[in-house]
C-alpha cells in the first residue's frame, strides 16, 4: 500500500458500524447470493440498506473503506463506489435508482434537499470577509436548506405520518438518511434553525408536519438498525464542515457539480 493512501485523511475513519447498526451487520455476515458492498457512514448506503431491511431481503453485508477498496468490489464496479449490490456477480447501483425515482417524481423539490444539505455543511466564508459578512453568508445557505425542507414537507399527505400517508414509501427512505444527520449543524455550524414546537410562526404548519414525519421515521426499526452512534460520525463530518473531505460528493459540491 502506498504512503499516499496511508496518509489520506479520509482513510482513517472508524472501520465498522456501531450500536444497533453493528448488530445488523453481524446478522448479515454469512455468505449470501445478494452481496451489499457498503460503508456504515454513508447516507447513500443507508438509503439502500433501509430498503433491504424493510423488505426483509436476505443479503451479505460487506464493509468497504472507500480509500482501501477490495478487488471484489472493483471487479463489479470499477469506480469502487458504495452502495453496490451484487447478485450472482451482477452489479446493481441501488442508490442511483432511488435518485432517478426522486428526480422523476419530485423534480422541483425533494432531490434538492441533499445538495442544499451539503452546501450548508461545506460552506466556508471568503478570504477577507468580516465576521458579520461570514455570518450573513452562512445564513444564506442555512435559509436555502430550510426552504428545501419546507418545500418537501408541503408536498406531504396532510395526515401522514409518512410522505404519502399511513405507510412509508421509497421517498421516505430516500430522504431520511440526511434527516437523521441534521444534528451535524448544531455540532459544526451555529445550529440549523428549525423552530421548536409552537414557535414556527407563519410556517408552524409546515414545521409541525416535518416533526411528525421525522418522529415517525426515527421510530422505524430499519432506521434504528442502520444508524451508527453519533460520536463515530464526528471526524467524518468535521472534514465536510472544514470543506476538506475528499469523497466524490464533497468534491462535486466544491466544484459546483451536482450530487454524483
Amino acid at each position: 500500500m502506498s504512503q499516499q493512501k496511508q496518509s489520506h485523511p479520509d482513510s482513517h475513519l472508524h472501520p465498522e458500524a456501531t450500536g444497533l447498526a453493528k448488530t445488523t451487520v453481524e446478522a448479515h455476515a454469512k455468505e449470501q447470493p445478494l452481496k451489499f458492498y457498503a460503508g456504515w457512514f454513508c447516507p447513500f448506503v443507508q438509503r439502500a440498506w433501509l430498503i433491504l431491511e424493510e423488505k426483509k431481503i436476505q443479503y451479505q453485508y460487506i464493509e468497504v473503506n472507500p480509500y482501501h477498496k477490495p478487488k471484489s468490489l472493483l471487479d463489479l464496479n470499477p469506480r469502487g463506489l458504495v452502495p453496490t449490490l451484487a447478485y450472482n456477480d451482477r452489479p446493481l447501483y441501488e442508490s442511483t435508482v432511488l435518485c432517478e425515482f426522486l428526480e422523476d417524481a419530485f423534480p422541483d423539490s425533494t432531490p434538492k434537499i441533499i445538495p442544499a444539505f451539503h452546501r450548508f455543511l461545506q460552506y466556508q466564508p471568503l478570504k477577507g470577509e468580516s465576521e458579520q459578512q461570514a455570518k450573513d453568508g452562512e445564513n444564506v445557505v442555512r435559509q436555502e436548506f430550510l426552504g428545501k425542507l419546507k418545500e418537501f414537507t408541503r408536498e406531504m399527505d396532510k395526515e401522514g405520518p409518512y410522505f404519502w400517508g399511513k405507510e412509508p414509501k421509497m421517498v421516505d427512505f430516500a430522504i431520511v438518511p440526511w434527516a437523521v444527520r441534521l444534528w451535524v449543524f448544531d455540532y459544526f455550524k451555529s445550529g440549523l434553525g428549525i423552530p421548536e414546537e409552537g414557535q414556527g410562526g407563519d410556517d408552524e404548519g409546515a414545521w409541525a408536519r416535518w416533526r411528525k414525519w421525522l418522529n415517525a421515521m426515527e421510530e422505524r426499526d430499519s432506521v434504528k438498525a442502520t444508524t451508527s452512534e453519533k460520536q463515530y460520525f464526528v471526524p467524518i463530518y468535521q472534514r465536510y464542515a472544514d470543506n476538506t473531505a475528499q469523497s466524490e460528493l464533497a468534491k462535486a459540491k466544491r466544484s459546483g457539480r451536482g450530487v454524483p
Side-chain angles (χ1 to χ4, degrees), residues 218-238:
E218 288 179 329
E219 289 302 310
R220 300 289 302 179
D221 288 342
S222 63
V223 175
K224 294 177 181 179
T226 58
T227 303
S228 287
E229 297 165 310
K230 287 182 179 179
Q231 68 201 69
Y232 298 101
F233 286 97
V234 170
I236 296 170
Y237 282 104
Q238 179 71 64

Side-chain angles (χ1 to χ4, degrees), residues 25-45:
V25 168
E26 291 171 346
H28 292 277
K30 292 182 180 179
E31 185 82 16
Q32 295 287 347
L34 182 63
K35 302 183 188 303
F36 181 47
Y37 289 85
W40 66 266
F41 53 89
C42 177
F44 291 98
V45 163

Side-chain angles (χ1 to χ4, degrees), residues 93-253:
Y93 308 113
E94 183 71 17
S95 186
T96 301
V97 173
L98 297 180
C99 286
E100 289 174 353
F101 167 81
L102 287 173
E103 186 63 32
D104 290 340
F106 304 100
D108 296 326
S109 58
T110 305
K112 296 181 181 180
I113 287 176
I114 297 161
F117 176 106
H118 284 276
R119 272 193 292 273
F120 183 20
L121 183 59
Q122 291 178 233
Y123 171 77
Q124 294 290 315
L126 298 174
K127 290 182 178 179
E129 284 189 330
S130 67
E131 183 177 348
Q132 186 59 52
Q133 288 173 321
K135 288 181 179 179
D136 291 344
E138 181 177 296
N139 194 50
V140 167
V141 289
R142 175 187 290 106
Q143 293 305 318
E144 177 198 17
F145 182 46
L146 290 173
K148 300 307 179 187
L149 292 183
K150 287 186 286 188
E151 286 179 26
F152 172 65
T153 302
R154 285 168 177 151
E155 294 286 341
M156 290 180 180
D157 175 85
K158 290 183 179 180
E159 296 299 322
Y162 303 108
F163 191 93
W164 290 115
K166 293 183 179 180
E167 297 297 328
K169 304 292 184 181
M170 195 72 74
V171 63
D172 300 289
F173 298 118
I175 294 300
V176 74
W178 284 267
V180 298
R181 288 163 170 77
L182 293 182
W183 60 267
V184 302
F185 297 108
D186 291 324
Y187 195 97
F188 295 111
K189 302 294 182 180
S190 53
L192 178 54
I194 293 179
E196 297 293 330
E197 184 175 354
Q199 299 180 15
D202 293 341
D203 292 325
E204 178 58 25
W207 290 125
R209 185 64 183 90
W210 167 262
R211 288 189 289 268
K212 186 176 184 178
W213 176 83
L214 183 57
N215 289 339
M217 290 305 296
E218 288 179 329
E219 289 302 310
R220 300 289 302 179
D221 288 342
S222 63
V223 175
K224 294 177 181 179
T226 58
T227 303
S228 287
E229 297 165 310
K230 287 182 179 179
Q231 68 201 69
Y232 298 101
F233 286 97
V234 170
I236 296 170
Y237 282 104
Q238 179 71 64
R239 290 189 286 276
Y240 279 92
D242 294 340
N243 202 22
T244 59
Q246 297 300 312
S247 69
E248 292 299 315
L249 176 59
K251 290 187 285 187
K253 296 316 302 172

Side-chain angles (χ1 to χ4, degrees), residues 41-56:
F41 53 89
C42 177
F44 291 98
V45 163
Q46 192 174 15
R47 268 183 176 173
W49 201 1
L50 286 166
I51 303 306
L52 290 170
E53 285 294 305
E54 284 284 334
K55 292 181 176 293
K56 307 299 182 186

